[in-house]
Amino acid sequence: MIKVGDIVFVKLKGGFRNNKPKTDRLGLVIKELIEQGAIPQYYVQFGQEDPKWYYQHDLYKIRGERE
């Protein structure tokens, strides 16, 4: 589950590399919008670009090592 403060990648859509993370850009989740009956959306900023809204299924969360 993605939450505010997580570091994420954007997943590629369609084609040969379907649903694999695009690892050349890291983004920071700033806000979340969760409404009943809707797909969760997250406001993500990549570098110095303006933040944009992304659906949960378009993002891939970076997971750390287990202790």
Side-chain angles (χ1 to χ4, degrees):
M1 182 64 140
I2 299 172
K3 59 185 182 225
V4 174
D6 285 343
I7 306 292
V8 295
F9 295 126
V10 174
K11 288 184 182 178
L12 298 176
K13 296 181 183 177
F16 181 69
R17 297 172 47 177
N18 189 21
N19 289 331
K20 294 186 180 176
K22 186 175 181 183
T23 58
D24 61 343
R25 296 186 326 154
L26 294 174
L28 176 66
V29 177
I30 299 172
K31 295 183 203 175
E32 64 181 347
L33 177 63
I34 301 175
E35 295 179 349
Q36 186 175 0
I39 299 171
Q41 297 179 36
Y42 299 94
Y43 201 52
V44 182
Q45 182 171 9
F46 290 94
Q48 299 298 319
E49 300 174 14
D50 292 333
K52 295 181 182 176
W53 287 99
Y54 292 90
Y55 288 110
Q56 177 180 359
H57 58 268
D58 291 334
L59 299 172
Y60 180 82
K61 178 180 172 183
I62 295 177
R63 297 182 189 340
E65 294 182 24
R66 293 186 182 172
E67 296 180 8

